[in-house]
Amino acid sequence: MFKLYNTLTKQRETFQPRDPGPVGMYTCGPTVYGAAHLGNLRTYLFADLLRRTLEFNGYVVKQVMNITDVGHLTDDADQGQDKIEESAKQAGQSAKTIARQYEQIFFDNLEKLNVKTPTKTLRATDTIDLQIALVKKLEAKKVVYRTSDGIYFDTSKFHRYGQLGGQKLSDKKAGARVVVNQEKRHPSDFAVWKFSRPGEQRQMEWASPWGVGFPGWHLECSAMSMKELGPQFEIHTGGVDHIPVHHENEIAQSETATGKSPFVRYWLHGEFLVLPKRRMGKSEGNMITLQDVTDRGIDPLAFRFLCLQTHYRQKLQFSWAALESAAEGYRNLWQHVADLGPDAKIGCAEYEQRFREAINDDLNAPQALAVLHELLKSDYPGHAKRQSVKIMDQVFGLRLDEAQPEKIAVPEVVHKLLAQREQARQAKDFARADSLRQAIAKHGFTVDDTPLGPRLRKA
Ligand code: AMP
Ligand code: ZN
């Protein structure tokens, strides 16, 4: 039984795809106006965990992701500036240059985190025709209206509006920060097409039957997902912030356009990565990127390991101390696996079964990691353990299969210094132990103190 928590039904459901073919999965992609922060990356790690778990269960997954390179405004109520154009202006570069540059950094981040590349990625700016066609459909169904700044979807015309976020139309009040558009009929109405402002010279704008402008942000995900996965598909992912606006709007416009419901059967959302008291956000000005992690000499996969330690529906409290300790845990795990020797054909069925139960229980990765640790501590022979680690790592994605005994030549003098340092440590002469560590460092080696004893690494 493979269970997933579905935001749409607010229940844990057994995953049962409608068709025998590949499972369609759509992942809301990044807005490429800046480098992704660790919060964004947590959400893509969650989608990757889901995809890997589906594949582990024998499904073929067709994962589609968008790249938002136009139309995402600085405030979610369809007001404010286009984030890409803003960023381009500040950098004194073209919008296209900025978008491509951060798209490249994004994919580079995914690779470093061992996140599988989506089967198909589409850019918003490459699908303008599709998006215009979708607005025409909505217009034909008489669910959109015109204001001075764009074409808006009338959410009162969609009676299921609010189902995903569990709120009623009347509950939705424009927040204090939001500049209220007086011409909107309801606060929840949203733009499907925005006009370029009179006198404003936008870099990215297109002709349309309604006037020159650009698509509303929510529209691209409906257009691209349906192009690649059909009018109805299985899974849609994003962060929890997408539930009440972005995904609610996607459902409204998609189901209205096609007349088919449900647009998506399983909606899954990843909780936020937060800093003490606050979320991490580009607009909060407290963002940490993967570059900051590697600048501190921390392996990006240590961040992956950290994320696996918290269930995806729980907030992850980020701190550098937590990441450092995950990095140490990851190094120990790696070393432990390296010491297991080559794999056998047969693993430890009992642990593999418990692992499967954990991960199939709404992607309970912390529990699955606990099973991995128990396996490593068990009495099974090393080669059988290694085989099971290999199987589990198909889901963890920690590259544990690459952990091999290090063939580094350690000079005799370093061995001696290490032995002296151990003696000093045992005699609780920490000052001497520390100066010996520095002496070892001068030879290009780092000492890690692990539960299994000190270990040398090339610095
Ligand atoms: P954006 O690039 O702003 O479109 O966001 C990309 C993804 O990151 C979306 O799925 C968001 O829901 C998600 N996201 C934004 N902030 C956080 C955060 N602090 N923690 C986890 N996910 C986030
Ligand atoms: Zn989206």
Side-chain angles (χ1 to χ4, degrees), residues 274-336:
V274 292
L275 290 170
K277 297 207 190 86
R278 282 200 301 169
R279 62 169 271 192
M280 180 179 289
K282 294 176 200 170
S283 49
E284 309 269 320
N286 59 0
M287 45 173 287
I288 300 168
T289 65
L290 201 62
Q291 185 68 48
D292 298 325
V293 170
T294 49
D295 284 351
R296 288 197 181 210
I298 301 174
D299 187 334
L301 290 180
F303 178 63
R304 186 172 180 115
F305 189 59
L306 178 74
C307 289
L308 287 169
Q309 290 169 349
T310 302
H311 190 267
Y312 78 93
R313 290 202 293 122
Q314 302 281 322
K315 283 196 174 67
L316 192 163
Q317 302 279 346
F318 180 85
S319 69
W320 283 109
L323 182 58
E324 299 273 6
S325 109
E328 194 183 331
Y330 179 54
R331 265 201 306 276
N332 289 341
L333 176 62
W334 177 278
Q335 195 59 56
H336 208 131

Side-chain angles (χ1 to χ4, degrees), residues 27-34 36-44 68 72 83 106 217 237-242 247 269-274 278-282:
T27 298
C28 277
T31 309
V32 285
Y33 68 107
H37 58 64
L38 296 186
N40 302 135
L41 295 174
R42 180 189 187 200
T43 292
Y44 297 105
T68 301
H72 195 173
K83 292 184 179 185
F106 176 72
W217 168 49
T237 71
V240 284
D241 57 328
H242 281 174
H247 289 166
H269 294 95
E271 247 301 348
F272 266 19
L273 177 145
V274 292
R278 282 200 301 169
R279 62 169 271 192
M280 180 179 289
K282 294 176 200 170

Side-chain angles (χ1 to χ4, degrees), residues 37-262:
H37 58 64
L38 296 186
N40 302 135
L41 295 174
R42 180 189 187 200
T43 292
Y44 297 105
L45 282 165
F46 142 65
D48 187 57
L49 178 68
L50 172 58
R51 172 172 170 185
R52 284 170 180 270
T53 304
L54 286 160
E55 291 175 347
F56 185 70
N57 280 280
Y59 296 108
V60 174
V61 180
K62 178 172 180 187
Q63 188 189 11
V64 178
M65 188 177 72
N66 63 303
I67 297 287
T68 301
D69 57 356
V70 69
H72 195 173
L73 303 185
T74 45
D75 113 27
D76 276 349
D78 303 308
Q79 300 297 311
Q81 307 299 320
D82 187 309
K83 292 184 179 185
I84 310 267
E85 298 239 357
E86 260 308 272
S87 172
K89 214 178 282 170
Q90 277 170 20
Q93 278 173 326
S94 77
K96 190 168 172 178
T97 305
I98 286 294
R100 295 297 179 273
Q101 177 187 333
Y102 288 114
E103 179 184 311
Q104 184 53 48
I105 292 174
F106 176 72
F107 281 112
D108 184 60
N109 283 180
L110 294 194
E111 198 186 318
K112 290 202 168 91
L113 291 168
N114 200 22
V115 169
K116 291 191 175 191
T117 316
T119 323
K120 183 106 194 186
T121 308
L122 296 157
R123 292 183 187 127
T125 52
D126 289 337
T127 53
I128 301 295
D129 292 353
L130 272 179
Q131 299 187 60
I132 290 178
L134 194 52
V135 181
K136 281 190 189 160
K137 273 194 193 162
L138 297 174
E139 193 177 37
K141 303 235 167 164
K142 301 192 169 40
V143 294
V144 295
Y145 61 92
R146 187 185 187 100
T147 74
S148 59
D149 72 2
I151 305 294
Y152 283 77
F153 186 101
D154 183 340
T155 49
S156 71
K157 299 256 167 86
F158 183 66
H159 70 272
R160 283 186 296 280
Y161 197 84
Q163 194 181 11
L164 187 71
Q167 38 184 351
K168 295 188 207 80
L169 207 63
S170 53
D171 294 345
K172 274 210 155 177
K173 300 240 159 50
R177 277 191 322 123
V178 172
V179 189
V180 183
N181 178 348
Q182 301 293 352
E183 294 173 76
K184 281 210 305 197
R185 293 182 190 163
H186 317 93
S188 52
D189 293 355
F190 57 93
V192 287
W193 189 262
K194 288 275 291 186
F195 304 136
S196 297
R197 289 196 194 102
E200 177 197 34
Q201 188 52 58
R202 280 185 60 94
Q203 296 187 41
M204 300 182 292
E205 57 182 15
W206 294 266
S208 82
W210 312 281
V212 173
F214 57 97
W217 168 49
H218 316 294
L219 196 67
E220 63 177 79
C221 288
S222 289
M224 297 182 201
S225 62
M226 292 198 286
K227 170 179 188 275
E228 292 298 328
L229 302 171
Q232 293 182 288
F233 58 94
E234 302 300 331
I235 302 178
H236 200 309
T237 71
V240 284
D241 57 328
H242 281 174
I243 301 171
V245 181
H246 185 52
H247 289 166
E248 199 80 74
N249 295 351
E250 269 190 55
I251 293 173
Q253 65 203 0
S254 305
E255 295 191 0
T256 304
T258 64
K260 292 187 174 146
S261 177

